[in-house]
């Protein structure tokens, strides 16, 4: 734990692993109590143990972010057990990649449901606590794929949609002391990119090496790179930064 003076309550969705787990751990190290939310409550155990083992406060919460009843119950439970959640990271994500002519309606709806509907439902439920507290921070996970990526029409549309969602919430919630920003990672080593390598029938190491050669800083990203940026946007001192999209991609993107 590095600081408890500005301790608040955070919810990180999709925090059982990957970027979400690194973000939950980082926010706990920043001094916040963290609700580690994922589809399967049991899967959150490792992240919770990592936080509590380091002296932090965390609970595991099982919920599907695309289900409004589950979202309401989850946010209510966090408020009852940890206190009003005024920090929210909409990180839960799935991919259902395919070229347009092969993409099914289910592939489309699933991706929209988790990324867009999920961020909408979680933000709508959590903003009640933020506006009441006259303080809040929301970070939405966009992606470099928002700029276009072959085989990801659904994911790209959802991640671009999250940028518009972010800017609109920043306008609506700003008067209540709530900032809303998006972080758009490039290539980050997680199970999601491992699944992409598998779909392309590439060895994951080879896939990472090829990606690193195209990135100006000549390496692929780690979950901690994204968590560090989110930590800044979640901080009290970042209160004049809102409606922004920060690319965490080892170089500029156009
Ligand atoms: P990941 O390793 O696949 O982890 C995503 C987590 O979200 C999983 O634990 C997953 O649970 C959970 N999840 C999926 N659907 C959910 C739902 N409906 N409700 C609650 N939780 C759900 O992914 P990641 O690479 O860490 O990515 C995290 C975020 O960053 C995503 O939004 C992703 O799109 C974005 N991003 C990642 C990269 C990258 O290179 N990795 C780049 C740009 C953006 P299950 O395991 O049970 O499905």
């Amino acid at each position: 734990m590095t600081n408890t003076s500005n301790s608040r309550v955070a919810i990180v969705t999709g925090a059982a692993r990957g970027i979400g787990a690194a973000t939950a751990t980082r926010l706990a190290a920043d001094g916040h109590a963290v609700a580690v939310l994922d589809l399967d409550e049991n899967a959150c155990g490792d992240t919770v143990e990592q936080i509590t083992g380091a002296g932090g406060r965390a609970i595991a919460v099982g919920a599907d972010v695309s289900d409004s009843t589950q979202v309401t119950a989850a946010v209510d439970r966090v408020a009852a057990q940890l206190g009003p959640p005024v920090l929210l990271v909409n990180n839960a994500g799935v991919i259902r990649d395919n070229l347009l002519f092969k993409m099914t309606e289910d592939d489309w709806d699933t991706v929209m449901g988790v990324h867009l509907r999920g961020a909408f439902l979680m933000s709508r439920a959590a903003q009640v606590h933020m506006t009441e507290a006259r303080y809040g921070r929301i970070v939405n996970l966009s992606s470099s794929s928002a700029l276009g990526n072959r085989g990801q029409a659904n994911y790209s549309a959802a991640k671009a949609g999250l940028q518009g969602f972010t800017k609109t919430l920043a306008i609506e919630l700003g008067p209540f002391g709530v900032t809303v920003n998006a972080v758009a990672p490039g290539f980050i080593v997680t199970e999601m990119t491992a699944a992409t390598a598998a779909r392309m029938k590439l060895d994951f190491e080879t896939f990472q090496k090829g990606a690193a050669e195209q990135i100006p800083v000549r390496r692929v990203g780690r979950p901690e790179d994204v968590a560090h940026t989110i930590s800044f946007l979640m901080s009290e001192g970042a209160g004049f930064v809102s409606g922004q999209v920060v690319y965490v991609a080892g170089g500029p993107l156009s």
Side-chain angles (χ1 to χ4, degrees), residues 65 71 90 114-126 140 162 165 169:
V65 296
V71 164
N90 285 312
V114 177
H115 295 273
L116 279 179
R117 183 178 162 83
F120 155 61
L121 293 175
M122 286 298 306
S123 302
R124 190 179 63 176
N140 297 312
L162 278 170
F165 178 70
L169 292 202

Side-chain angles (χ1 to χ4, degrees), residues 14 17 19 38 63-65 91 142 155 159 185-186 188 190 192-193:
R17 64 170 197 242
I19 293 169
D38 212 292
D64 177 347
V65 296
N91 166 83
S142 179
Y155 184 79
K159 291 308 199 187
I188 309 295
T190 69
M192 188 176 273
T193 35

Side-chain angles (χ1 to χ4, degrees), residues 136-223:
R137 300 276 182 268
I138 299 175
V139 170
N140 297 312
L141 267 290
S142 179
S143 167
S144 55
S145 295
L147 301 168
N149 198 24
R150 191 171 192 273
Q152 290 198 314
N154 49 2
Y155 184 79
S156 166
K159 291 308 199 187
L162 278 170
Q163 296 191 9
F165 178 70
T166 296
K167 289 171 193 289
T168 299
L169 292 202
I171 293 166
E172 291 187 13
L173 298 176
F176 299 92
V178 180
T179 66
V180 187
N181 292 286
V183 167
F187 190 118
I188 309 295
V189 177
T190 69
E191 287 189 30
M192 188 176 273
T193 35
T196 304
R199 180 178 59 85
M200 296 169 81
K201 300 192 180 1
L202 286 172
D203 162 69
F204 194 30
E205 290 296 320
T206 312
F207 188 49
Q208 288 181 51
K209 204 163 167 283
E213 281 164 10
Q214 306 299 317
I215 297 170
V217 301
R218 294 290 185 270
R219 69 167 176 88
V220 290
R222 296 178 292 265

Side-chain angles (χ1 to χ4, degrees), residues 2-9 27 30-33 86-87 135 234-237:
T2 53
N3 162 38
T4 49
S5 59
N6 291 316
S7 177
R8 302 184 194 272
V9 175
L27 293 180
D30 289 344
H32 305 298
V86 296
L87 310 179
Y135 182 88
M234 282 287 162
S235 69
E236 201 157 329

